[in-house]
Amino acid sequence: MKGSEVMMKSVLERIESIQKEIDYSGTAYVKSGEDILIKSYGYSNRGEKIMNEKDTRYGIASGSKLFTSIAIGQLVDKKIISFDMKLIDCLDCQLPFFDKNVTIHHLLTHTAGIPDYFDEAIMDDFEDLWIHTPMYRVRDLQDFLPLFQGRKMVSAPGEQFHYNNAGYIILGLIIEQASGLKFSNYIEQFILKKAGMLDSGYFELDALPEKTAMGYIQNPDGSYKTNIYSIPAKGGADGGIFVTAEDMASLWASLNNGELMSCETTKRLLKHQVHVEKDIYYGYAGYMQVSNDYVEKHILMGYDPGVNFRSVYYRGTGLTIIVLSNKNDGAYEILRGIEETIVD
């Protein structure tokens, strides 16, 4: 047995072991060199006992922010906007308390200091958002605005990194105004099609297409409920796209091969921008692990009720790991087990 086959066998054994321990439900994908491993577990529909498969589509929550960043980069290439452009110069929207010095750069790097509609640092339950704003009415980017547009700034632009979902809603609105297209239509036309992601898209929870995993939340008694009343009916620029594992791998390949933007803009998108902690930075395309000013690993993650996603891309080797889950947890444990087997 060849060395690479031995390694992939070890990876599969590690995944199987962790899956049994934590009852992981989802699809795990590993590409190392020319070798690809893809394995699925659990149910995409528990009531009908439909199993997850390699071409099952999963929500990836905040992992979707990468698509928004790429769309901004494409519009920069077209010279419609620039990374340093101020928000007041590229968006006609009522934001009365927002600082006039907020730029697209600030929004991309979570340093704008604007108020968030869901602050993960102080809020525990995402479902609390929908008490006064029914989630079934949230289907367009404009529907998110009442949740934060009347609030005051949290900090000065550029002062600190503070993860912010509202900033990406604003970026989505900029994309709509600059392109003249609905956000989801823009992503489908200029990113999904270009990257060959033909099975992915922004789907409405009450009209999911075939082979789409329902998200499941475990109740205290061990039973499960779906997340249809826990997240927006249709995701926006801060999260909510559905992808297959192979489609997500196609996105990593297209992005790193410079197929979605110019070489210059791609390099800027993949560069580290803001220090977060220890060796972790944030750029225009998610988190990054940096050593001696070199980006070693790109890191994407997403968490919603009934959604758990982790993915990494190693710049030096091209190692790509994608872990999709239609439960609250499990993705990190599977990803870490894979990394420990291949990298550590």
Side-chain angles (χ1 to χ4, degrees):
M1 186 179 290
K2 297 180 181 179
S4 60
E5 293 176 339
V6 171
M7 181 185 67
M8 283 301 194
K9 183 175 183 293
S10 298
V11 169
L12 179 57
E13 290 173 351
R14 186 66 184 277
I15 293 173
E16 299 275 353
S17 174
I18 297 171
Q19 191 278 328
K20 291 176 182 177
E21 181 181 344
I22 67 174
D23 192 29
Y24 163 68
S25 177
T27 296
Y29 173 102
V30 184
K31 184 178 187 300
S32 178
E34 298 300 317
D35 298 306
I36 294 175
L37 170 67
I38 182 166
K39 187 72 175 177
S40 301
Y41 305 88
Y43 294 108
S44 64
N45 185 315
R46 300 181 71 88
E48 299 296 330
K49 304 298 183 186
I50 300 172
M51 302 297 294
N52 285 319
E53 299 179 334
K54 72 174 187 176
D55 56 351
T56 297
R57 318 177 220 224
Y58 299 85
I60 61 171
S62 286
S64 310
K65 288 182 172 67
L66 175 58
F67 295 87
T68 303
S69 300
I70 293 170
I72 289 290
Q74 291 177 337
L75 293 170
V76 169
D77 275 344
K78 294 176 182 177
K79 302 188 185 305
I80 300 174
I81 58 175
S82 70
F83 291 119
D84 298 323
M85 182 175 285
K86 292 181 179 180
L87 175 57
I88 59 173
D89 295 325
C90 57
L91 183 63
D92 297 328
C93 187
Q94 293 297 316
L95 303 167
F97 301 112
F98 281 28
D99 192 302
K100 294 181 179 179
N101 292 312
V102 170
T103 66
I104 288 175
H105 165 86
H106 292 136
L107 295 168
L108 285 168
T109 57
H110 301 279
T111 59
I114 68 171
D116 201 358
Y117 74 87
F118 179 70
D119 190 334
E120 299 176 12
I122 61 175
M123 298 177 71
D124 295 323
D125 194 346
F126 196 58
E127 294 182 1
D128 289 344
L129 280 173
W130 317 120
I131 294 175
H132 301 294
T133 305
M135 80 298 296
Y136 56 82
R137 292 183 176 176
V138 182
R139 298 175 188 266
D140 294 300
L141 296 183
Q142 294 284 347
D143 298 330
F144 288 89
L145 283 175
L147 298 172
F148 66 88
Q149 69 183 139
R151 298 182 184 178
K152 295 183 179 180
M153 295 285 292
V154 176
S155 60
E159 184 175 277
Q160 62 177 341
F161 172 89
H162 189 81
Y163 195 85
N164 189 298
N165 292 288
Y168 273 71
I169 295 295
I170 296 297
L171 288 168
L173 290 168
I174 292 171
I175 292 164
E176 288 190 335
Q177 183 167 316
S179 68
L181 297 172
K182 277 190 64 173
F183 173 78
S184 58
N185 291 343
Y186 180 94
I187 300 300
E188 289 164 6
Q189 183 175 342
F190 293 101
I191 298 179
L192 301 186
K193 286 184 179 179
K194 289 185 72 172
M197 302 178 67
L198 303 182
D199 292 322
S200 302
Y202 286 87
F203 310 133
E204 298 184 69
L205 291 185
D206 50 3
L208 292 176
E210 63 178 351
K211 288 188 173 294
T212 303
M214 301 183 74
Y216 286 98
I217 304 164
Q218 190 167 24
N219 296 311
D221 64 0
S223 63
Y224 285 90
K225 65 178 181 180
T226 68
N227 64 355
I228 192 168
Y229 298 121
S230 305
I231 59 177
K234 184 177 181 180
D238 64 329
I241 198 169
F242 288 83
V243 304
T244 67
E246 290 178 318
D247 273 4
M248 197 66 206
S250 294
L251 180 69
W252 277 124
S254 295
L255 176 60
N256 285 281
N257 290 336
E259 297 169 3
L260 299 174
M261 294 167 291
S262 68
C263 180
E264 179 183 354
T265 302
T266 299
K267 286 181 179 178
R268 184 160 182 178
L269 207 77
L270 298 175
K271 179 178 173 58
H272 53 295
Q273 300 281 349
V274 179
H275 183 240
V276 178
E277 61 178 14
K278 297 181 180 178
D279 59 351
I280 301 299
Y281 286 72
Y282 203 92
Y284 291 167
Y287 291 97
M288 305 172 188
Q289 182 175 307
V290 179
S291 177
N292 296 321
D293 206 40
Y294 174 75
V295 176
E296 295 181 333
K297 176 172 69 171
H298 293 277
I299 306 166
L300 292 181
M301 60 185 76
Y303 303 93
D304 269 343
V307 178
N308 195 208
F309 165 74
R310 296 290 293 235
S311 182
V312 295
Y313 178 88
Y314 284 80
R315 293 207 60 77
T317 63
L319 171 65
T320 305
I321 306 172
I322 298 157
V323 188
L324 303 151
S325 174
N326 61 326
K327 290 170 61 176
N328 279 4
D329 49 28
Y332 173 76
E333 290 82 359
I334 295 292
L335 180 136
R336 188 68 193 119
I338 296 169
E339 287 187 305
E340 288 173 350
T341 305
I342 297 179
V343 182
D344 294 357

